[in-house]
């Protein structure tokens, strides 16, 4: 018993000796900081510093994450800073100012607009790669836009993070004499936790927040706290499921056999499975030899007891990594505590002892588990031992020593057969090449491929990095000696990946690769030799190609998760008997990614553009839809309306549901450019295309620097993030495209001769920038190189420039009425002839065009600054799409004449309204004046003209309210009264035709009633049809005879087709009929004059007065507009405006003021004293004709009320009462009836007679200028 106790005591002393030895090597007690924070609000808590034992290597990429909580807001504060004594600029830093955060990198600064609130925890990550222009900032796992604050940003490709620098948390610092000194005023007032750093740029997402770093971890051993102890915080929980346990173990056995690491791996797995709970699944165990076994101290200890033990134990030290998957996942700090506590206990088997070194246990969360074959959770590992008896677990916690005089331990050997797994390795190789070769890259690649293929390994992604150095070992030989040419030795570096499918472990495979490459290789005259230190082999975990849904013209494919360098298959949608294939490749960044799928076996499903309607656009397939559109457009030179609408709708959907990165935006811009180069009708989709380009600029994200430009041959978009406090001016210029690569875009460059478009934004634009917190003001510019996109159906004007636009994202409101104008200079596509004018316009999305849709050019708010043969400069008070129209149809009216003509129109209409009102009141109040048909027709005409003039005068005022419904009602009303006026003018001509030409056989029942139905009904029908067929034809436009800018908006017919059909065509038809009737009247007058003696000058004046009255009555003055062309346009426009605006006044003059019976009625009823005229008795007289005795032979006609002619001093009556006007009479002899200006009478027709008498003899009123032409009557 005493012997056993001695053995036990000796064993314990050896274990204690080894534990103490290892403890001294690993340092003091290692504690995790997960669940704890550094609170810089503590007393004397200034900063933390990275431990001297943690030395950062040279980095060309990195990722840094930290959680921060601000308690007090300060002007300047620092989260962390990394610097190197040899470089004055800050290498890496995360600094703040008030509530915003900025990134410092190599002395350059990128700021963000994200606002950090007080007392709120924010996970913040910064990533950078030398292959990218700018770093990236993430807050709460979401990318935040950062803007470079310098003047010009150069590429960072040549930059790298210097090694062995100094890193501090919570304060900025400077280095002096190798010591860190804090910078006052930069301390962080709050708490930090979970600071971690990785040696590569990692994707950042909220679901990977709990992963520990690979260079700097959140662990006390990595930090110098400077008496600022970490503070536990139960709220700082991070739930995770994947962990790696790194620790040192001691395995003791009692024979001369050594415990190799493959046996140790089985023991560690068995021990871990026994002590860890069932919810912690062991995924992989990796074991490495730590130190040489049996140190001198151990041998001395055992030598003292040599007389006791016949077998001295063998002690081996190992470092092992155990990968765990915790299901369900739990808080990291709790897992660390539980696992560390459970792994404190030693592990006993039959005569074998495994002891963990307690202070070496580290439990860290990891992003993923190694891609190794996962063994079953309860697999018996004893089969891995070459001999029996195997290790068995002891049921007691004591050391069991056999009674035999010697302890016999079976020898352990590695497993030669096991599960085959696939692994990947990165190899950096420096090889010496002796001899001369034409292609060193080819020789080295062939050697590596041949050498490793013998080991059943594949070489992937071979990269020849170039020549390292040259050497000439024979360079010191005498030049005079005749010797053979010296052998040349060069050193070359290369990098490649190795795929190994083997049953060996990771370490064994690494040894195989190294051993294979260490063997010199000779091929003819060259020799390749790699020194051991020039062979760097590391295991890599490429992961898997993730499940991906791929939409293409060949159908929808759902590619499953696939391991790297493997191929996935999927049945074709169009033919399930065929198969599509896609390979998962291993990229040079050591990550798996999908290759382009092989779809050659699949039939096309989306064969035409309309087939795209069946494809639903999602965030996942947005890029695929763009690829399909691009493929379909390659075979189309023109698109019909349906195809064009389909493509534009799909592009709009992609823009609105998918994040618009510069790469995605570039693809969309190129597709739009391809569409604009086709021979298509863009008018139906112009507004849609403009809205898509606007959305691209608004939604662009994750672009480096302050601006980004997307350029294609026919289109360019530039987005500029601006600083509101530093905004003074911003310009955008475009020069012609080069070899189909698209136009050159210039931001804030002075204009030069080659520019085709230039726009300058004024400082006052700053007032429209968004003012919300965290909202980045952005100005975007657009250039369109296809004028055909802006076709609005106008034929008299053409777009003679390219189109350029500017807008502000998230503006506070519509950008209009700017204090300082926007200056736009555009190059003419065709030189401007001197006789043609130009017009500065913008594209109005809501204006009706001549095609019946929305979108047309509008000059409102734009004015011409200057123009030449080649350029035009415009000034506009708003932002939109700008262009210059060339007027091809007319000689323009200058602004002075335009203003005078406008004044004449308003004044004339006002005067006419007053006198038309007097005319209407006169004929309405005095019943005796409107007993005949001509007077009633005149009254209706006056009412129509009065309505037209009043609506015209009120139009601009009513349109200023901006109500579309009100404007439409005004336009319809004005249209109606204009048509009604011309309709009644036409009815005047019809009445004249009946009276003058159709003398016989004319009987019209309800004559005036039918005239009223026509006069007021026809315009109503026309306006109603316009409202039904094309309601949008009515709208608002500037009041002007041209398209020159005008402050007075006018509600009128805006659609050209509707205008020419319902207005110009109708008026032309009426004027044509009236002109014909007018000519007939003149011919009849000519015949009458031939039968009468020559008249006096007074008669001539009366003739001219009659012709003039008929001209105004029939509206023939409107014919002047047909001749307003060329050099006589301005004089005729003045004539047209004066005559037609005063038409109502002239009607008053001829039909009231110059009509004697009207004047006498005024004197009878309105005058007093000596001016009053007594009621004239002759008004009661009537002219009757005896009726025939045989009614059957009598032709009946409606009796027509007429007014006697103007004579020198008498007023003769036409009827005694209203009853007399209704009687039917027979007239023995036909009389020539004529409508005249004093009273237009429709005659009664009777049987033919040889003689012709004037109607005056039958009681009809005729004009004196016609009466004198009639032959004398023979009847008494």
């Amino acid at each position: 018993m005493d012997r056993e106790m001695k053995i036990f005591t000796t064993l314990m002393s050896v274990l204690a000796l080894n534990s103490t030895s290892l403890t001294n090597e690993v340092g003091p007690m290692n504690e995790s900081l997960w669940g704890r924070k550094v609170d810089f609000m503590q007393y004397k808590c200034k900063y933390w510093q990275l431990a001297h034992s943690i030395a950062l290597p040279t980095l060309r990429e990195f990722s840094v994450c930290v959680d921060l909580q601000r308690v007090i807001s300060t002007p300047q504060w620092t989260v962390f800073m990394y610097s190197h004594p040899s470089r004055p600029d800050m290498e890496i830093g995360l600094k703040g100012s008030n509530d915003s955060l900025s990134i410092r990198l190599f002395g350059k600064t990128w700021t963000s607009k994200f606002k950090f609130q007080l007392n709120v925890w924010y996970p913040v990550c910064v990533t950078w790669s030398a292959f990218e222009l700018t770093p990236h900032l993430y807050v709460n796992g979401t990318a935040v836009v950062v803007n470079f604050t310098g003047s010009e940003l150069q590429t960072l490709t040549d930059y790298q993070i210097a090694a062995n620098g100094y890193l501090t948390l919570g304060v900025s610092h400077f280095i002096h004499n190798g010591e860190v000194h804090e910078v006052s005023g930069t301390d962080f007032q709050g708490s930090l936790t979970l600071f971690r750093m990785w040696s590569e740029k990692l994707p950042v997402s909220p679901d990977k927040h709990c992963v520990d770093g690979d260079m700097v971890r959140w662990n006390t051993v990595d930090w110098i706290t400077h008496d600022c102890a970490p503070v536990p915080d139960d709220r700082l929980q991070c739930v995770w499921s994947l962990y790696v346990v790194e620790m040192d173990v001691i395995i003791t056995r009692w024979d001369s056999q050594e415990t190799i690491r493959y046996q140790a791996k089985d023991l560690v797995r068995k021990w871990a499975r026994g002590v860890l709970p069932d919810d912690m699944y062991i995924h992989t165990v990796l074991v490495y030899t730590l130190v040489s076994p049996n140190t001198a101290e151990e041998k001395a200890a055992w030598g003292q007891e040599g007389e006791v033990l016949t077998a001295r134990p063998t002690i081996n030290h190992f470092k092992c990594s155990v990968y765990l998957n915790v299901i369900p996942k739990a808080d990291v700090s709790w897992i660390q505590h539980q696992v560390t506590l459970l792994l404190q206990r030693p592990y006993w088997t039959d005569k074998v002892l495994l002891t963990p070194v307690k202070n070496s246990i580290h439990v860290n969360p990891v992003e993923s588990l190694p891609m190794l074959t996962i063994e079953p959770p309860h697999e018996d590992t004893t089969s891995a031992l070459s001999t029996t008896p195997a290790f068995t677990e002891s049921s007691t916690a004591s050391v069991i020593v056999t009674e035999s005089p010697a302890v016999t331990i079976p020898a352990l050997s590695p497993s030669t057969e096991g599960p085959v797994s696939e692994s990947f390795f990165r190899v950096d190789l420096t090889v010496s090449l002796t001899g001369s070769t034409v292609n060193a890259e080819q020789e080295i690649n062939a050697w590596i491929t041949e050498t490793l293929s013998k080991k059943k390994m594949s070489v992937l992604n071979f990269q020849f990095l170039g020549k390292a150095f040259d050497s000439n070992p024979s360079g010191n030989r005498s030049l005079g000696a005749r010797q053979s040419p010296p052998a040349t030795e060069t050193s070359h570096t290369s990098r490649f990946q190795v795929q190994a499918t083997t049953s060996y472990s990771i370490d064994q495979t690494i040894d195989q690769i190294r051993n294979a490459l260490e063997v010199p290789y000779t091929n003819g005259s060259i020799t390749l030799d790699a020194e051991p230190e020039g062979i760097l082999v590391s295991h890599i975990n490429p992961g898997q190609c993730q499940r991906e849904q791929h939409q293409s013209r060949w159908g929808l494919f759902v590619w499953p998760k696939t391991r790297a360098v493997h191929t996935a298959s999927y049945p074709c949608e169009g033919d399930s008997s065929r198969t599509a294939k896609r390979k998962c490749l291993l990229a040079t960044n050591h990550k798996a990614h999908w290759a382009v799928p092989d779809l050659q076996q699949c039939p096309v499903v989306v064969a035409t553009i309309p087939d795209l309607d069946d494809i639903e656009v999602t965030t996942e397939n947005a890029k695929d839809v763009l690829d399909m559109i691009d493929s379909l457009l390659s075979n189309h030179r023109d698109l019909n309306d349906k195809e064009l609408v389909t493509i534009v709708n799909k592009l709009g959907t992609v823009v609105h549901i998918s994040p618009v990165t510069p790469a995605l935006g570039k693809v969309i811009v190129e597709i739009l450019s391809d569409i604009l180069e086709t021979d298509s009708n863009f008018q139906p989709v112009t507004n849609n295309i403009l809205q898509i380009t606007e959305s691209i600029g608004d939604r662009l994200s994750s672009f480096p620097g302050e601006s980004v430009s997307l350029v294609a041959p026919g289109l360019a978009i530039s987005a500029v993030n601006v600083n509101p406090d530093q905004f003074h001016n911003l310009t955008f210029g475009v020069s012609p495209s080069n070899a189909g690569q698209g136009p050159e875009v210039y931001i804030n460059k002075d204009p030069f001769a080659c520019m085709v478009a230039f726009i300058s934004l004024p400082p006052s634009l700053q007032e429209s920038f968004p003012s919300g917190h965290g909202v980045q003001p952005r100005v975007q510019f657009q250039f369109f190189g296809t004028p055909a996109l802006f076709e609005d159906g106008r034929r008299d004007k053409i777009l003679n420039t390219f189109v350029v636009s500017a807008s502000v994202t998230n503006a506070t409101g519509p950008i209009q009425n700017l204090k300082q104008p926007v200056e736009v200079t555009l190059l003419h596509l065709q030189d401007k002839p001197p006789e043609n004018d130009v017009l500065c316009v913008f594209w109005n999305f809501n204006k009706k065009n001549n095609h019946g849709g929305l979108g047309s050019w509008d000059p409102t708010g734009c004015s011409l600054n200057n123009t030449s043969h080649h350029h035009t400069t415009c000034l506009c008070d708003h932002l939109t799409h700008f262009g210059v129209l060339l007027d091809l149809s007319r000689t323009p009216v200058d602004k002075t004449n335009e203003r005078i003509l406008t004044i004449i129109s308003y004044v004339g209409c006002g005067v006419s309204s007053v006198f038309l009102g007097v005319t209407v009141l006169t004929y309405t109040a005095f019943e005796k004046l409107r007993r005949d048909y001509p007077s009633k027709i005149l009254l209706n005409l006056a009412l129509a003209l009065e309505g037209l003039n009043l609506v015209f005068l009120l139009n601009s005022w009513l349109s200023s309210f901006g109500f579309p419904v009100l404007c439409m009602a005004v336009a319809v009303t004005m249209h109606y009264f204009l048509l009604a006026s011309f309709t009644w003018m036409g009815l005047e001509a019809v009445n004249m035709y009946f009276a003058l030409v159709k003398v016989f056989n004319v009987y019209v029942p309800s004559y005036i009633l039918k005239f009223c139905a026509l006069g007021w009904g026809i315009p109503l029908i026309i306006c109603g049809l316009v409202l039904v067929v094309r309601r949008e034809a009515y709208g608002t436009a500037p009041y002007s005879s041209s398209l020159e800018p005008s402050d007075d908006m006018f509600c009128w017919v805006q659609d050209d087709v509707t205008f020419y059909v319902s207005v110009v065509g109708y008026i032309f038809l009426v004027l044509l009929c009236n002109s014909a009737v007018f000519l007939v009247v003149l011919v009849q007058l000519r015949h009458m004059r031939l039968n009468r003696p020559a008249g006096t000058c007074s008669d001539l004046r009366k003739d001219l007065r009659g012709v003039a009255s008929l001209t105004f009555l029939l509206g023939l003055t409107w014919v002047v507009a047909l001749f307003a062309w060329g050099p006589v346009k301005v004089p005729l426009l003045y004539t047209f405006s004066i005559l037609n605006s005063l038409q109502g006044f002239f009607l008053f003059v001829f039909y009231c003021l110059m009509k004697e019976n009207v004047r006498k009625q005024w004197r009878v009823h309105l005058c007093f004293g000596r001016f009053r005229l007594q009621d004239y008795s002759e008004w009661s007289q009537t002219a009757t004709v005896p009726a025939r005795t045989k009614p059957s032979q009598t032709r009946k006609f409606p009796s027509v009320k007429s007014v006697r002619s103007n004579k020198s001093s008498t007023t003769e009556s036409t009827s005694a009462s209203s009853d007399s006007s209704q009687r039917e009479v027979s007239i023995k002899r036909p009389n020539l009836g004529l409508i005249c200006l004093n009273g237009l009478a429709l005659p009664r027709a009777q049987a033919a007679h040889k003689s012709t008498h004037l109607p005056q003899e039958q009681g009809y009123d005729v004009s004196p200028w016609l009466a004198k032409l009639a032959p004398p009557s023979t009847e008494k």
Side-chain angles (χ1 to χ4, degrees), residues 473-710:
S474 305
N476 296 326
R477 298 177 182 177
S478 173
L479 295 177
R482 297 178 60 86
Q483 300 176 7
S484 60
T488 302
E489 180 180 340
T490 57
S491 181
H492 302 270
T493 58
S494 60
R495 177 179 299 164
F496 55 93
Q497 298 156 341
V498 176
Q499 176 191 7
T501 304
T502 177
S503 61
Y504 292 101
S505 68
I506 298 296
D507 293 326
Q508 286 178 305
T509 307
I510 290 176
D511 291 342
Q512 282 186 324
I513 296 173
R514 292 178 58 88
N515 294 336
L517 296 177
E518 286 177 2
V519 178
Y521 171 81
T522 302
N523 182 14
S525 61
I526 66 169
T527 301
L528 298 172
D529 188 13
E531 296 295 332
E533 60 272 14
I535 306 173
L536 303 178
V537 185
S538 59
H539 175 254
I540 58 177
N541 179 18
Q544 293 179 318
C545 291
Q546 299 300 313
R547 180 183 181 274
E548 182 177 296
Q549 181 171 304
H550 175 223
Q551 184 79 55
S552 71
R553 293 183 59 192
W554 292 264
L556 176 64
F557 301 89
V558 182
W559 304 105
K561 273 189 176 183
T562 305
R563 291 183 296 168
V565 200
H566 285 73
T567 301
S569 300
Y570 198 85
C572 299
E573 181 177 340
D575 186 354
S576 58
S577 64
R578 301 184 181 184
T579 303
K581 297 180 180 180
R582 193 177 190 185
K583 191 170 185 178
C584 179
L585 300 179
L586 178 60
T588 55
N589 64 351
H590 318 308
K591 299 296 182 183
H593 74 97
W594 284 111
V596 177
D598 180 8
L599 308 177
Q600 295 180 359
Q601 301 297 323
C602 297
V604 175
V605 176
V606 183
T608 62
I609 292 177
D611 292 337
L612 289 173
D613 291 332
D614 299 328
I615 305 298
E616 180 182 359
V617 181
T618 63
T619 305
E620 292 75 16
N621 71 354
K623 180 62 170 62
D624 298 331
V625 172
L626 295 180
D627 292 338
M628 287 192 290
I629 294 175
D630 186 51
S631 175
L632 290 168
L633 285 176
S634 61
N635 300 323
H636 285 73
R637 287 306 307 160
D638 61 340
L639 302 170
N640 58 42
D641 290 350
K642 177 176 176 56
E643 293 173 337
L644 200 58
V645 170
T646 296
I647 292 179
V648 172
N649 288 342
K650 292 300 179 184
L651 292 178
T653 305
V654 169
V655 171
H656 285 92
I657 72 172
S658 179
V660 182
T661 62
L664 185 70
K666 175 72 172 176
V667 175
I668 300 176
V669 168
E670 290 176 347
I671 291 176
L672 288 174
S673 178
D674 292 341
I675 294 175
L676 296 180
E677 290 179 356
T678 62
D679 300 327
S680 306
N681 175 28
F682 303 114
Q683 191 277 326
V685 296
T686 296
N687 284 357
N688 303 82
I689 292 177
L690 299 184
Q691 290 168 359
I692 289 174
T693 57
E694 191 82 10
S695 299
I696 292 174
D698 291 342
R699 295 170 57 84
L700 264 176
S701 61
S702 302
F703 58 86
E706 296 180 355
S707 65
V708 63
S709 295
L710 309 177

Side-chain angles (χ1 to χ4, degrees), residues 972-988:
V972 172
T973 305
M974 185 171 176
H975 189 197
Y976 175 76
F977 279 117
L978 177 66
L979 297 181
S981 299
F982 276 92
T983 303
W984 282 107
M985 293 178 197
L987 293 176
E988 289 278 12

Side-chain angles (χ1 to χ4, degrees), residues 1203-1272:
V1203 182
R1204 281 285 187 93
S1205 63
N1206 266 344
K1207 291 191 177 181
S1208 59
S1209 62
T1210 63
T1211 304
E1212 299 180 9
S1213 174
T1214 61
S1215 61
S1217 66
S1218 60
D1219 294 337
S1220 65
S1221 67
Q1222 304 299 326
R1223 292 181 303 190
E1224 298 178 355
V1225 298
S1226 297
I1227 301 179
K1228 298 180 181 179
R1229 184 184 304 246
N1231 294 325
L1232 180 65
L1234 183 66
I1235 299 177
C1236 60
L1237 70 98
N1238 290 329
L1240 304 181
L1242 185 63
R1244 303 169 190 167
Q1246 61 184 8
H1249 197 278
K1250 293 182 179 180
S1251 63
T1252 303
H1253 298 274
L1254 285 176
Q1256 179 182 4
E1257 300 176 3
Q1258 302 298 333
Y1260 296 106
D1261 179 46
V1262 295
S1263 178
W1265 64 279
L1266 294 179
K1268 62 186 180 61
L1269 297 177

Side-chain angles (χ1 to χ4, degrees), residues 279-331:
D279 59 353
M280 297 183 185
Y281 299 93
I282 298 176
H283 179 272
T284 305
V285 176
L286 303 178
V287 176
Y288 311 93
T289 302
L290 183 61
V291 294
S292 299
N294 301 333
T295 61
E297 294 83 355
E298 298 165 7
K299 295 179 180 179
W302 285 106
Q304 295 175 2
E305 304 294 335
E307 71 280 7
V308 178
L309 299 175
T310 60
R312 185 174 58 189
T314 302
I315 301 176
N316 298 94
H317 300 168
F318 297 94
K319 178 178 288 293
C320 58
S321 299
V322 180
Y323 288 88
L324 303 177
N325 189 359
V326 179
I327 302 176
K329 55 188 178 182
D331 178 52

Side-chain angles (χ1 to χ4, degrees), residues 692-851:
I692 289 174
T693 57
E694 191 82 10
S695 299
I696 292 174
D698 291 342
R699 295 170 57 84
L700 264 176
S701 61
S702 302
F703 58 86
E706 296 180 355
S707 65
V708 63
S709 295
L710 309 177
V711 179
L715 178 64
I717 300 176
S718 292
V720 182
N721 292 332
V722 296
N723 187 343
D725 300 330
Q726 300 177 1
F727 181 81
H728 301 292
N729 189 26
L730 187 62
T731 64
F732 171 77
V734 179
S735 65
S737 58
N738 297 322
Q741 297 299 318
E744 294 288 336
V745 174
Y746 303 91
I747 303 295
N748 275 343
K749 300 291 184 181
D750 294 332
F752 52 87
C754 293
M755 283 191 176
V756 298
F758 181 81
I759 182 170
S760 177
L761 304 183
S764 60
L765 185 64
Q766 181 181 5
E767 300 175 0
S768 301
F769 289 164
S771 57
H773 292 295
V775 180
Q776 172 67 56
R778 175 180 295 178
V779 177
Q780 67 159 304
F781 300 96
Q782 300 176 27
F783 169 80
F784 298 88
T786 307
L789 175 63
F790 299 89
E791 174 62 44
D792 62 353
R794 198 183 303 275
R795 293 292 178 264
D796 56 343
K797 296 174 180 62
I798 63 169
L799 180 62
N800 196 34
T801 63
F802 296 120
V803 176
V804 66
S805 75
S807 61
V808 176
T809 303
N810 298 325
T812 55
I815 300 178
Q816 55 189 8
N817 300 322
L818 293 172
K819 297 178 181 178
Q820 300 164 297
V822 178
E823 181 178 342
V824 183
T825 301
L826 298 171
L827 176 72
H828 296 160
L829 300 178
Q830 301 175 5
D831 289 346
K832 183 185 80 66
E835 66 273 11
N836 291 108
D837 195 10
V838 294
L839 185 64
C840 295
V841 291
F842 76 96
W843 187 258
N844 188 341
F845 284 79
N846 299 318
K847 184 178 178 180
K848 309 294 188 304
N849 56 44
N850 290 351
H851 299 290

Side-chain angles (χ1 to χ4, degrees), residues 952-998:
F952 177 83
L953 293 173
L954 297 176
N955 195 315
S956 296
W957 176 65
L958 293 175
S959 65
S960 65
F961 290 100
F963 298 126
V965 176
L966 177 61
C967 185
M968 180 182 294
V970 172
V972 172
T973 305
M974 185 171 176
H975 189 197
Y976 175 76
F977 279 117
L978 177 66
L979 297 181
S981 299
F982 276 92
T983 303
W984 282 107
M985 293 178 197
L987 293 176
E988 289 278 12
V990 171
N991 187 58
M992 182 182 295
Y993 175 78
F994 283 162
L996 182 63
V997 181
K998 298 289 290 185

